[in-house]
Coordinates of all heavy atoms in Angstrom, one line a residue:
S251 N 55.5 106.6 -7.1 CA 56.8 107.0 -7.5 C 57.5 108.0 -6.4 O 58.6 108.3 -6.6 CB 56.8 107.6 -8.9 OG 56.2 108.8 -8.9
A252 N 56.5 108.4 -5.6 CA 56.9 109.3 -4.5 C 57.4 110.7 -5.1 O 58.0 111.4 -4.5 CB 58.1 108.8 -3.6
E253 N 56.8 110.9 -6.3 CA 57.0 112.2 -6.9 C 55.7 112.9 -7.2 O 55.0 112.5 -8.1 CB 57.7 112.0 -8.3 CG 59.2 111.5 -8.2 CD 59.8 111.4 -9.6 OE1 59.6 112.1 -10.6 OE2 60.7 110.5 -9.7
P254 N 55.3 113.9 -6.5 CA 54.0 114.5 -6.6 C 53.8 115.1 -8.0 O 54.9 115.5 -8.6 CB 53.9 115.6 -5.5 CG 55.3 115.7 -5.0 CD 56.2 114.5 -5.4
L255 N 52.7 115.3 -8.5 CA 52.3 115.8 -9.7 C 52.8 117.3 -9.7 O 52.6 118.1 -8.6 CB 50.9 115.8 -10.0 CG 50.3 114.6 -10.4 CD1 48.8 114.6 -10.6 CD2 50.9 114.0 -11.8
P256 N 53.6 117.8 -10.6 CA 54.0 119.2 -10.7 C 52.7 120.1 -10.6 O 51.7 119.7 -11.1 CB 54.8 119.4 -11.9 CG 55.2 118.0 -12.3 CD 54.1 117.0 -11.9
P257 N 52.9 121.3 -10.1 CA 51.7 122.1 -9.9 C 50.9 122.4 -11.3 O 49.7 122.5 -11.3 CB 52.3 123.4 -9.3 CG 53.5 123.0 -8.6 CD 54.0 121.8 -9.4
E258 N 51.7 122.6 -12.3 CA 51.2 122.9 -13.7 C 50.3 121.7 -14.1 O 49.3 121.8 -14.8 CB 52.2 123.4 -14.7 CG 53.2 122.3 -15.1 CD 54.5 122.3 -14.1 OE1 54.5 122.8 -13.1 OE2 55.3 121.4 -14.5
R259 N 50.8 120.5 -13.8 CA 50.1 119.3 -14.3 C 48.9 119.1 -13.4 O 47.8 118.7 -13.9 CB 50.9 118.0 -14.2 CG 52.1 118.1 -15.3 CD 52.8 116.9 -15.4 NE 53.7 117.0 -16.4 CZ 54.7 116.0 -16.8 NH1 54.7 114.9 -16.1 NH2 55.6 116.3 -17.6
R260 N 48.9 119.3 -12.2 CA 47.8 119.2 -11.2 C 46.7 120.3 -11.7 O 45.6 119.9 -11.8 CB 48.3 119.5 -9.8 CG 47.2 119.6 -8.8 CD 46.7 118.2 -8.3 NE 45.6 117.8 -9.1 CZ 45.2 116.5 -9.1 NH1 45.8 115.5 -8.5 NH2 44.1 116.1 -9.8
A261 N 47.2 121.5 -12.0 CA 46.2 122.5 -12.4 C 45.6 122.2 -13.8 O 44.4 122.4 -13.9 CB 47.1 123.8 -12.6
A262 N 46.2 121.4 -14.8 CA 45.7 121.0 -15.9 C 44.6 120.0 -15.7 O 43.6 120.0 -16.3 CB 46.7 120.6 -16.9
L263 N 44.9 119.0 -14.9 CA 43.9 117.9 -14.6 C 42.8 118.5 -13.8 O 41.6 118.2 -14.1 CB 44.6 116.9 -13.7 CG 45.6 116.0 -14.4 CD1 46.3 115.1 -13.4 CD2 45.1 115.3 -15.5
D264 N 43.0 119.5 -12.9 CA 41.9 120.2 -12.3 C 40.9 120.9 -13.2 O 39.7 120.8 -13.1 CB 42.3 121.1 -11.1 CG 43.0 120.4 -10.0 OD1 42.7 119.1 -9.9 OD2 43.7 121.0 -9.1
A265 N 41.6 121.6 -14.3 CA 40.9 122.4 -15.3 C 40.0 121.3 -16.0 O 38.8 121.6 -16.4 CB 41.7 123.2 -16.1
L266 N 40.6 120.2 -16.4 CA 39.9 119.3 -17.2 C 38.8 118.7 -16.4 O 37.6 118.6 -16.9 CB 40.8 118.1 -17.7 CG 40.2 116.9 -18.5 CD1 39.7 117.5 -19.8 CD2 41.3 115.8 -18.7
G267 N 39.0 118.4 -15.1 CA 37.8 117.9 -14.2 C 36.7 118.8 -14.2 O 35.6 118.6 -14.3
R268 N 37.0 120.3 -14.1 CA 35.9 121.2 -14.1 C 35.2 121.2 -15.4 O 33.9 121.4 -15.5 CB 36.6 122.6 -13.7 CG 36.9 122.8 -12.4 CD 37.3 124.2 -11.9 NE 38.4 124.8 -12.8 CZ 39.6 124.6 -12.5 NH1 40.1 123.8 -11.5 NH2 40.5 125.1 -13.3
L269 N 35.9 121.1 -16.5 CA 35.3 121.1 -17.9 C 34.4 119.9 -18.0 O 33.3 120.1 -18.4 CB 36.3 121.1 -18.9 CG 35.9 121.0 -20.3 CD1 35.3 122.2 -20.8 CD2 37.0 120.7 -21.4
L270 N 34.9 118.8 -17.5 CA 34.1 117.5 -17.7 C 32.8 117.5 -16.9 O 31.9 116.7 -17.0 CB 35.0 116.3 -17.5 CG 36.0 116.1 -18.5 CD1 36.9 114.9 -18.2 CD2 35.5 115.9 -20.0
A271 N 33.0 118.2 -15.8 CA 31.9 118.3 -14.8 C 30.6 119.1 -15.3 O 29.5 119.1 -14.7 CB 32.2 118.9 -13.5
R272 N 30.8 119.8 -16.4 CA 29.7 120.7 -16.9 C 28.6 119.9 -17.4 O 28.8 119.0 -18.3 CB 30.3 121.6 -18.0 CG 31.3 122.6 -17.6 CD 32.1 123.4 -18.7 NE 31.2 123.8 -19.7 CZ 31.5 124.4 -20.8 NH1 32.9 124.5 -21.0 NH2 30.7 124.8 -21.6
P273 N 27.4 120.1 -16.9 CA 26.2 119.2 -17.2 C 25.9 119.3 -18.7 O 25.4 118.3 -19.2 CB 25.1 119.9 -16.4 CG 25.8 120.8 -15.4 CD 27.1 121.1 -15.9
E274 N 26.2 120.3 -19.3 CA 25.8 120.4 -20.8 C 26.7 119.4 -21.7 O 26.4 119.1 -22.8 CB 25.7 121.8 -21.4 CG 27.1 122.5 -21.4 CD 27.5 123.2 -20.1 OE1 27.0 122.9 -19.1 OE2 28.4 124.0 -20.1
L275 N 27.8 119.0 -21.1 CA 28.7 118.0 -21.8 C 28.4 116.6 -21.5 O 29.1 115.8 -22.0 CB 30.1 118.4 -21.5 CG 30.6 119.8 -22.0 CD1 32.0 120.1 -21.5 CD2 30.4 120.1 -23.3
R276 N 27.5 116.3 -20.5 CA 27.5 115.0 -20.0 C 26.3 114.2 -20.8 O 25.2 114.9 -20.9 CB 27.1 115.1 -18.5 CG 27.1 113.7 -17.8 CD 27.0 113.9 -16.4 NE 28.4 114.5 -16.0 CZ 28.9 114.3 -14.8 NH1 28.4 113.7 -13.9 NH2 30.2 114.8 -14.7
V277 N 26.4 113.0 -20.9 CA 25.5 112.1 -21.5 C 25.3 111.0 -20.5 O 26.3 110.4 -20.1 CB 25.6 111.5 -22.9 CG1 24.6 110.7 -23.3 CG2 25.8 112.7 -23.9
T278 N 24.0 110.6 -20.0 CA 23.8 109.6 -19.1 C 23.1 108.4 -19.8 O 22.2 108.6 -20.6 CB 23.1 109.9 -17.9 OG1 23.7 111.0 -17.3 CG2 22.9 108.8 -16.9
A279 N 23.7 107.2 -19.7 CA 23.1 106.1 -20.2 C 22.8 105.0 -19.0 O 23.8 104.6 -18.4 CB 23.9 105.4 -21.2
L280 N 21.5 104.8 -18.8 CA 21.2 103.7 -17.8 C 21.2 102.5 -18.5 O 20.3 102.1 -19.4 CB 19.8 104.2 -17.2 CG 19.7 105.5 -16.5 CD1 18.3 105.8 -16.1 CD2 20.7 105.6 -15.4
L281 N 21.9 101.5 -18.1 CA 22.0 100.1 -18.6 C 21.1 99.2 -17.8 O 21.2 99.3 -16.6 CB 23.5 99.7 -18.7 CG 24.4 100.5 -19.5 CD1 25.8 99.9 -19.4 CD2 23.9 100.7 -20.8
E282 N 20.4 98.4 -18.6 CA 19.5 97.3 -18.0 C 20.2 96.0 -18.3 O 21.1 95.9 -19.1 CB 18.2 97.4 -18.6 CG 17.6 98.8 -18.6 CD 16.7 99.0 -17.4 OE1 16.2 98.0 -16.9 OE2 16.3 100.3 -17.1
D283 N 19.6 94.9 -17.5 CA 20.1 93.6 -17.8 C 20.1 93.3 -19.3 O 19.2 93.6 -20.0 CB 19.2 92.6 -17.2 CG 19.4 92.5 -15.7 OD1 20.4 93.0 -15.3 OD2 18.5 91.9 -15.0
G284 N 21.3 92.8 -19.9 CA 21.4 92.5 -21.2 C 21.8 93.5 -22.1 O 22.1 93.4 -23.3
D285 N 21.9 94.8 -21.7 CA 22.4 95.9 -22.4 C 23.8 95.8 -22.8 O 24.6 95.2 -22.0 CB 22.2 97.3 -21.8 CG 20.7 97.7 -21.9 OD1 19.8 97.0 -22.5 OD2 20.3 98.7 -21.1

């Protein structure tokens, strides 16, 4: 759209990204054939 994200929206997405990167909030599932 040639309209950059407003700074407050970029900051909100960056904050969400930092939150989601916290290891204690992450669950990993290793999928095998047929899973």
Side-chain angles (χ1 to χ4, degrees):
S251 69
E253 294 181 29
L255 289 171
E258 66 277 4
R259 290 186 182 181
R260 177 82 261 166
L263 289 175
D264 291 344
L266 179 62
R268 287 190 302 276
L269 176 71
L270 296 176
R272 292 171 48 186
E274 67 270 20
L275 298 178
R276 186 168 293 205
V277 173
T278 300
L280 300 175
L281 301 179
E282 307 265 339
D283 285 345
D285 285 351

